[in-house]
Amino acid sequence: MKKIYSHPVLLGFLFILFHTHPANAQSPLLLNYADLVLYNGQVLSVDANFSVHEAIAVRDGKVLALGSSSDMLALAGPETERVDLNGRSVTPGYIYNDGDNSVPGGDIYKDTMVKGWLSGRIPGASLEELLASLNKLTEESDPGAPIFVNMPKASPRVAEEWTADDLDEIAPANPMALFYNDSVVVVNHAMLNDAFAAGLPQNHFGVVLNEDGIPTGQLFQQAAGFIGWQVRPWPSPEYIDNALQETIASLLGYASIGATTATGHMSGLTVSMLNELYHDGKLLIRVYPGHDFTRQNPFAEQYLKRIGNLVNFSLTDPEIGPMVKIVGAATGPVDDGSNSQFGMLTIDDKANIDFEIGGTEKGLNKWTGEVWTGLTWDDMSEAQKAQTDYNTIDLLHQYGWNMSGNHNMGSAALRTNLLAIDNFARSGVTPYFETQKIDAFDHNLVWHESNYPLLDEYKDKVAMALSPEIFDQRVSVTGRELLESQYGERMHTMQPVKTLLDRGYNLHFEGTGPSNHPMWLVERFVTRTDDHGKVWGADQAIDRKQALKMLTINGAVFISEEDELGTLEPGKWADLVVLNGDFMAVPNDQIDELDIDLTYIGGKLIYDKRLWEE
């Protein structure tokens, strides 16, 4: 039986006692050596005191102890791996929350799909280019086979008015669905008939009707989700085989930047591929999905009854801990992004409407189908709200689930989600099971003081990711930066990190994928400087210690895993990163020059820069 002691001096004493006392000469060994010791460096624990140590010891996948190099090396045995840090910094592994596409097929519900193969957005900046792209897809497809299309982010204006009649002309021999985004879809009559045959109620709020009460082929929110999930077949086995290989490469990319845990809303296809990779021993990092099974699902309660509460169900490696864990369920987004004509849904008006993107002053609410219905949230009846994901949030809480990986960019989008949380809290409904984790929201770029009272009331029950988009803006097809085009000097009020932290909110920085380096994120929020040297909201700059917390322990809070991940403390999983320099000493404007030398999960080396470069 293994005895675990956390105090290095006591461990050293017991080690000496065992090896020098004659009475113990033939006794079985009760004390195990450390498996890994990293020494002669700067171990940033990111614990409550932000304690710094020279060395760290790991055993059985978990942090055993931290302390001086001599104390930690005293815990090493003949087979212990020793790593001389030579002054380099060690930090906890980074937790990336916007990992929806860490596995191909993460956006299956809106991806282009022809002949069983998924791909991304089609080209279509002009009507001529868009029609050419659509004609190409119909030519590639087999007659009668469904075609799903991920439309350009900002489609030509005339395409925004298309109906089933228009698509019948484009694809007369195939069911076709055009996804302008995940919640706004236009289908032809063949696809519409397939949806109704599959069970979509013709009188659902998300089915747009003309003046004569006939469906136009325009669908939104839950009706759009029905097309994306229930009507769409799964990709072909050939695509899935290829996607599994792409996933391995993607996760290695995460490991190369020290991202040891990826989370986000993820599809059933994603979860299935993670399951296979785990059992094949090919899953490199931890992936914690917010499951998409209720997202834009008009039959959410039926699914909840059949599936049950899976929060915290996991695939666990006995040596390094959980590798796949369900951390919640996702609902559909309320708004879109700055590069979409649907826009970010905000309480205040934009400074400008971009001439190329278009849209409205406050953006369009996806839950209300505002682009077609003209309804704002305040215009909605309770019966209409009951046929949106507003009601799904009630159902999730009733059945013991929480929301995780939920997109909202603007202040009015966050308010809509907060109102849904508040609605259930005040409903008097007794949940069948209490939620085990907190509700977590992505992006949160534009804030408004009017949301603070609700945030104050529920701040222990919600967590929010902060998008770095003010420092790396989305651009138009002509290369213009779209936040600045639409919001101008108001960008100085975006991501008011210091203000939000002072109010006690659960916040962390949003990492999207391997192209989003953690040290780049740290430098941006420490200096508030974008890649062009512009400073946005200088009064909201934070220090590097706080920035590191935002990528580690605060990210763990986002998925309610702070007892297992996020800091380097005895008993926690030894997910850690070795930087190629001194994190605490490098000048602020050079933080993003730091790179990752080594990445470990549960004390197991999964990335070595030297091998990568070879």
Side-chain angles (χ1 to χ4, degrees), residues 341-477:
Q341 66 271 43
F342 302 93
M344 298 185 290
L345 190 64
T346 55
I347 293 171
D348 289 336
D349 290 351
K350 304 172 187 174
N352 306 290
I353 294 176
D354 185 83
F355 71 90
E356 188 176 348
I357 299 299
T360 67
E361 289 84 357
K362 289 183 168 68
L364 297 170
N365 191 317
K366 291 182 180 180
W367 284 9
T368 69
E370 188 174 356
V371 62
W372 290 314
T373 67
L375 296 173
T376 68
W377 188 250
D378 293 335
D379 298 327
M380 294 277 282
S381 69
E382 292 303 313
Q384 289 169 332
K385 291 177 182 178
Q387 295 187 68
T388 72
D389 282 8
Y390 179 82
N391 183 60
T392 301
I393 292 174
D394 275 6
L395 293 170
L396 287 170
H397 289 146
Q398 184 176 350
Y399 285 86
W401 287 75
N402 60 289
M403 294 178 288
S404 188
N406 291 67
H407 165 119
N408 58 260
M409 296 289 289
S411 51
L414 177 59
R415 180 181 64 181
T416 306
N417 277 293
L418 291 171
L419 288 172
I421 293 171
D422 185 62
N423 180 66
F424 182 76
R426 300 181 188 281
S427 67
V429 173
T430 301
Y432 300 116
F433 301 95
E434 294 295 334
T435 55
Q436 301 176 61
K437 294 180 181 288
I438 58 179
D439 293 318
F441 301 101
D442 290 350
H443 311 324
N444 302 289
L445 186 63
V446 181
W447 295 79
H448 198 275
E449 290 183 357
S450 65
N451 283 333
Y452 292 164
L454 275 176
L455 282 169
D456 290 343
E457 185 169 354
Y458 297 107
K459 65 182 178 183
D460 295 330
K461 298 181 179 180
V462 299
M464 290 153 288
L466 303 182
S467 165
E469 190 174 334
I470 52 174
F471 310 118
D472 183 22
Q473 297 180 50
R474 304 181 189 194
V475 296
S476 70
V477 293

Side-chain angles (χ1 to χ4, degrees), residues 468-539:
E469 190 174 334
I470 52 174
F471 310 118
D472 183 22
Q473 297 180 50
R474 304 181 189 194
V475 296
S476 70
V477 293
T478 57
R480 290 175 303 99
E481 295 187 318
L482 289 169
L483 274 182
E484 194 168 1
S485 167
Q486 296 171 69
Y487 293 91
E489 293 300 300
R490 296 184 189 177
M491 284 178 57
H492 290 293
T493 68
M494 294 181 183
Q495 301 306 24
V497 184
K498 287 184 71 173
T499 297
L500 299 171
L501 288 171
D502 287 346
R503 298 189 71 92
Y505 302 154
N506 293 318
L507 309 168
H508 82 286
F509 295 153
E510 182 170 283
T512 56
S515 62
N516 212 192
H517 199 284
M519 293 301 108
W520 178 87
L521 284 165
V522 169
E523 182 174 317
R524 300 287 79 75
F525 283 96
V526 167
T527 66
R528 303 289 298 199
T529 303
D530 68 17
D531 290 335
H532 304 293
K534 295 180 180 179
V535 178
W536 300 107
D539 61 325

Side-chain angles (χ1 to χ4, degrees), residues 147-466:
I147 300 171
F148 300 86
V149 183
N150 192 345
M151 292 283 278
K153 196 67 175 181
S155 303
R157 293 289 185 271
V158 64
E160 297 170 18
E161 304 299 326
W162 281 349
T163 66
D165 292 336
D166 298 298
L167 267 60
D168 286 345
E169 295 182 14
I170 295 172
N174 301 85
M176 174 175 273
L178 307 185
F179 285 77
Y180 293 78
N181 54 50
D182 43 24
S183 301
V184 175
V185 178
V186 177
V187 301
N188 65 2
H189 283 99
M191 183 69 77
L192 191 64
N193 291 334
D194 285 350
F196 293 148
L200 176 65
Q202 296 192 36
N203 62 349
H204 192 280
F205 175 57
V207 178
V208 178
L209 306 177
N210 64 18
E211 294 179 353
D212 297 322
I214 305 299
T216 63
Q218 299 163 327
L219 309 169
F220 63 88
Q221 228 281 309
Q222 291 186 348
F226 191 90
I227 297 291
W229 275 282
Q230 277 101 320
V231 177
R232 179 193 296 260
W234 261 27
S236 66
E238 293 76 17
Y239 171 82
I240 292 174
D241 285 344
N242 183 77
L244 286 168
Q245 300 309 309
E246 289 185 11
T247 299
I248 294 170
S250 172
L251 298 185
L252 180 58
Y254 277 85
S256 74
I257 60 165
T260 52
T261 302
T263 185
H265 73 85
M266 298 183 187
S267 69
L269 175 62
T270 298
V271 174
S272 295
M273 290 197 288
L274 293 174
N275 183 26
E276 178 154 337
L277 290 173
Y278 167 80
H279 286 288
D280 286 347
K282 298 177 181 178
L283 191 60
L284 284 180
I285 69 170
R286 307 187 198 277
V287 185
Y288 285 20
H291 205 303
D292 271 342
F293 77 104
T294 56
R295 182 179 169 123
Q296 297 159 262
N297 186 347
F299 307 112
E301 188 164 19
Q302 294 179 20
Y303 280 62
L304 286 162
K305 287 178 176 179
R306 285 178 176 267
I307 292 173
N309 190 347
L310 299 181
V311 176
N312 282 331
F313 273 63
S314 63
L315 297 173
T316 298
D317 186 303
E319 295 183 352
I320 59 177
M323 296 301 293
V324 180
K325 182 183 281 192
I326 304 297
V327 294
T331 54
V334 179
D335 66 352
D336 213 323
S338 61
N339 58 340
S340 164
Q341 66 271 43
F342 302 93
M344 298 185 290
L345 190 64
T346 55
I347 293 171
D348 289 336
D349 290 351
K350 304 172 187 174
N352 306 290
I353 294 176
D354 185 83
F355 71 90
E356 188 176 348
I357 299 299
T360 67
E361 289 84 357
K362 289 183 168 68
L364 297 170
N365 191 317
K366 291 182 180 180
W367 284 9
T368 69
E370 188 174 356
V371 62
W372 290 314
T373 67
L375 296 173
T376 68
W377 188 250
D378 293 335
D379 298 327
M380 294 277 282
S381 69
E382 292 303 313
Q384 289 169 332
K385 291 177 182 178
Q387 295 187 68
T388 72
D389 282 8
Y390 179 82
N391 183 60
T392 301
I393 292 174
D394 275 6
L395 293 170
L396 287 170
H397 289 146
Q398 184 176 350
Y399 285 86
W401 287 75
N402 60 289
M403 294 178 288
S404 188
N406 291 67
H407 165 119
N408 58 260
M409 296 289 289
S411 51
L414 177 59
R415 180 181 64 181
T416 306
N417 277 293
L418 291 171
L419 288 172
I421 293 171
D422 185 62
N423 180 66
F424 182 76
R426 300 181 188 281
S427 67
V429 173
T430 301
Y432 300 116
F433 301 95
E434 294 295 334
T435 55
Q436 301 176 61
K437 294 180 181 288
I438 58 179
D439 293 318
F441 301 101
D442 290 350
H443 311 324
N444 302 289
L445 186 63
V446 181
W447 295 79
H448 198 275
E449 290 183 357
S450 65
N451 283 333
Y452 292 164
L454 275 176
L455 282 169
D456 290 343
E457 185 169 354
Y458 297 107
K459 65 182 178 183
D460 295 330
K461 298 181 179 180
V462 299
M464 290 153 288
L466 303 182

